[in-house]
Amino acid sequence: MAGAAPQHTDAEGVDAGVGLTALLVAAARAIETHRHDSLAQDIYAEHFVRAAPACATWPVRIQQVPDGDGNPLWGRFARYFGLRTRVLDDFLLRSVRRSARQVVLLGAGLDTRAFRLDWPSDCVVFEIDRAGVLAFKHQVLKDLSATPKVKRVPVPVDLRADWVTALTTAGLDPAAPSVWLAEGLLFYLPGPIETYLIDTVDRLTTQGSALAFEAKLEKDLLEYRDSPIYTATREQIGIDLLHLFDKGPRPDSAGSLTAKGWSTSMHRPFDFTRRYGRGPLPEPNDALEGNRWVFAHKPSP
Ligand SMILES: C[S@@+](CC[C@H](N)C(=O)[O-])C[C@H]1O[C@@H](n2cnc3c(N)ncnc32)[C@H](O)[C@@H]1O
């Protein structure tokens, strides 16, 4: 928040708190990668999991899970992340083929899209996350001698601080079209920070730009406290997602973008399960019930 931004010097890494959720998604992507009917391939994902002492006992293949696909965490929830990865891969690639050459990954975590997708050669990918998370990611990728397929710019900054200065200083050109992604991020942020983020994406984008984000619509997050997904995540790997999610009121970010002239569409992940032929379907007491994937485009003249 330019000007009056609070100073967040929190450099927490991937070994605790919300940083650990980046490893959870990496483990899910590792499992997805090794499936015979994989929706997304991320050869780096298992290396993140193996490099972090905090997840030394986590699986990276579904065969390592005693109850396999019947496991709510490593079966159904991991497949959810696999589907999400693929759908958002496709969204980003469509957007850069259309017009955008700048990609901004908000709360990028251990996202390796800069290394694994085939981008137009003049693209640049900005990765925003906290310093500790990006430092861990850098070390693992360096040890693997991994080379990005495109210009990649890590932007270590907390999204509760002045990330706009950090991003523009890192090279984002607000006068050229861009595509933005907030995957698995917004529900960890306080509502006013989300409002500021969405307003700022609008301010920093020209026509022809796009944004995708994930939201949770349920009025009371605790309603699903005993759902198989939350229970398994708590009991098997000690991550209490409901503890990490912000509990305050959520802004209507899709509505706010529509009011600013963006064209938006909101989808249930289950719609994509049907479209791609695999992924989670609705079930009783389902923590995924309120999840929505929102796609927004700032129309060209
Ligand atoms: C569930 S992970 C998702 C990571 C990545 N987008 C993906 O889907 O693989 C959430 C990420 O948001 C980041 N995050 C949460 N709060 C943040 C903040 N205030 N500033 C910057 N990053 C934040 C965490 O560090 C973590 O990497």
Side-chain angles (χ1 to χ4, degrees), residues 8 10 12-14 18-26 29 81 84-85 88 105-113 128-131 133 157-161 181-190 193 214 241:
H8 289 278
D10 176 6
E12 185 186 72
V14 292
V18 73
L20 198 50
T21 66
L23 280 166
L24 165 60
V25 184
R29 279 198 282 259
F81 291 124
R84 186 178 82 180
T85 301
L88 296 173
L105 305 175
L106 298 157
L110 304 175
D111 179 319
T112 58
R113 289 188 170 96
I128 299 185
D129 210 303
R130 288 161 316 140
V133 173
V157 66
D158 194 302
L159 288 161
R160 296 166 297 177
L181 179 62
E183 180 182 20
L185 170 72
L186 296 182
F187 24 78
Y188 297 104
L189 302 177
I193 300 285
E214 188 180 31
L241 289 169

Side-chain angles (χ1 to χ4, degrees), residues 47-229:
H47 294 279
F48 295 124
V49 180
R50 287 293 157 253
C55 47
T57 58
W58 296 11
V60 290
R61 291 171 183 262
I62 197 65
Q63 292 79 4
Q64 296 164 340
V65 183
D67 48 347
D69 279 323
N71 189 288
L73 169 58
W74 300 123
R76 188 166 184 265
F77 204 14
R79 195 95 233 218
Y80 172 79
F81 291 124
L83 178 68
R84 186 178 82 180
T85 301
R86 168 60 180 277
V87 169
L88 296 173
D89 281 358
D90 291 352
F91 165 80
L92 291 171
L93 289 175
R94 265 198 314 274
S95 301
V96 295
R97 282 182 199 129
R98 221 173 268 154
S99 56
R101 287 292 183 275
Q102 307 179 95
V103 181
V104 184
L105 305 175
L106 298 157
L110 304 175
D111 179 319
T112 58
R113 289 188 170 96
F115 295 79
R116 60 182 186 78
L117 297 185
D118 289 323
W119 303 98
S121 58
D122 54 345
C123 259
V124 52
V125 176
F126 298 94
E127 297 181 1
I128 299 185
D129 210 303
R130 288 161 316 140
V133 173
L134 291 181
F136 169 81
K137 180 176 186 174
H138 173 77
Q139 190 58 50
V140 173
L141 292 168
K142 184 167 168 266
D143 290 348
L144 293 169
S145 305
T147 327
K149 291 189 173 187
V150 71
K151 183 173 175 197
R152 168 181 177 251
V153 184
V155 185
V157 66
D158 194 302
L159 288 161
R160 296 166 297 177
D162 181 11
W163 58 270
V164 175
T165 301
L167 182 58
T168 48
T169 305
L172 180 88
D173 176 7
S178 48
V179 54
W180 300 62
L181 179 62
E183 180 182 20
L185 170 72
L186 296 182
F187 24 78
Y188 297 104
L189 302 177
I193 300 285
E194 174 174 337
T195 301
Y196 173 78
L197 184 148
I198 297 292
D199 289 351
T200 304
V201 171
D202 179 52
R203 187 163 57 80
L204 295 182
T205 44
T206 54
Q207 289 156 329
S209 297
L211 161 70
F213 63 90
E214 188 180 31
K216 287 181 84 61
L217 292 191
E218 52 270 47
K219 293 266 174 296
D220 176 14
L221 285 172
L222 296 178
E223 196 185 324
Y224 293 107
R225 177 150 189 88
D226 297 324
S227 67
I229 279 184

